[in-house]
Amino acid sequence: MTQPPHDEPTASTPDELREQVEQTREELGQTVEALAAKTDVKARAREKAAEVKEQTAAKAGELKEQTAAKAGELKEQTAAKAGELKEQAALKAGELRTKAADLAQQAQDRLPDPLKDKAEQAVAKAARTAQTWQEKAPEPVRQKTAQGAQLARDNRNLLLAAAAGTTALVWLACRRTKR
């Protein structure tokens, strides 16, 4: 608001003077309103709080969307990795079963025929003994024995390999002591 110096005439007619006074009043009113707004701390604080609240809500919405997207990605990645690991474990288990069967077969193939015959005879004798035992044993004992026999039948190759291995060790030990 610039005022002309007081010693210079500002208006040549009364209408111009009224117009200048009205304009000055208007400028003065605007200035007073601006000063009042600057001094109203509560109103300014409310405005700032509302602005910050809007910004915070917008940012929270963005973060929520980003978090949901990232969680979805991680869930997919985890499921894919679990599937891969499951497949790898199944393949490895199959390989190990095959390798164990091959090793058992190799062990049986390397055993001398007399040793294999003795192992089969031992298994047959064990079966006869089990039969005799089952005929003479009380019912609860028979049930337990039946469970054990079923387990032995399920793992017959493994038992034959173990019996053959034990027989081979005994045969080697006897051979060494004769020397």
Side-chain angles (χ1 to χ4, degrees):
M1 197 164 73
T2 310
Q3 290 185 346
H6 293 289
D7 53 348
E8 293 180 17
T10 57
S12 54
T13 64
D15 286 335
E16 280 184 15
L17 185 59
R18 280 189 200 108
E19 194 177 305
Q20 284 179 356
V21 168
E22 190 59 37
Q23 186 179 357
T24 304
R25 281 185 186 154
E26 200 173 300
E27 288 177 4
L28 186 58
Q30 290 173 356
T31 305
V32 168
E33 282 180 26
L35 288 172
K38 284 185 179 182
T39 58
D40 190 0
V41 176
K42 284 185 181 180
R44 287 177 54 199
R46 274 187 243 120
E47 289 173 7
K48 188 66 175 175
E51 183 182 320
V52 168
K53 185 177 178 181
E54 288 176 19
Q55 290 174 352
T56 303
K59 191 67 173 176
E62 289 175 24
L63 290 175
K64 185 177 179 181
E65 289 175 10
Q66 290 174 356
T67 302
K70 193 65 171 175
E73 289 175 22
L74 289 174
K75 185 177 179 182
E76 290 174 9
Q77 290 174 355
T78 302
K81 192 65 172 177
E84 289 175 21
L85 290 174
K86 186 176 179 181
E87 288 176 16
Q88 289 174 359
L91 287 173
K92 195 65 167 175
E95 290 173 6
L96 290 174
R97 270 190 233 108
T98 303
K99 197 171 192 175
D102 289 346
L103 289 173
Q105 187 61 45
Q106 287 175 4
Q108 281 182 340
D109 291 346
R110 289 183 180 165
L111 291 176
D113 287 336
L115 201 56
K116 287 181 189 177
D117 292 340
K118 284 185 180 182
E120 287 177 11
Q121 289 172 2
V123 169
K125 187 174 182 179
R128 285 191 304 272
T129 304
Q131 182 64 34
T132 305
W133 172 258
Q134 193 159 4
E135 291 170 0
K136 294 181 180 181
E139 183 61 30
V141 175
R142 279 190 228 158
Q143 289 175 353
K144 289 288 184 183
T145 305
Q147 289 174 353
Q150 183 62 42
L151 188 63
R153 274 186 235 111
D154 291 344
N155 298 303
R156 186 175 189 154
N157 288 339
L158 184 61
L159 287 173
L160 283 173
T166 304
T167 307
L169 288 175
V170 169
W171 180 69
L172 288 173
C174 288
R175 216 172 128 197
R176 284 186 181 214
T177 56
K178 288 181 181 181
R179 284 186 181 178

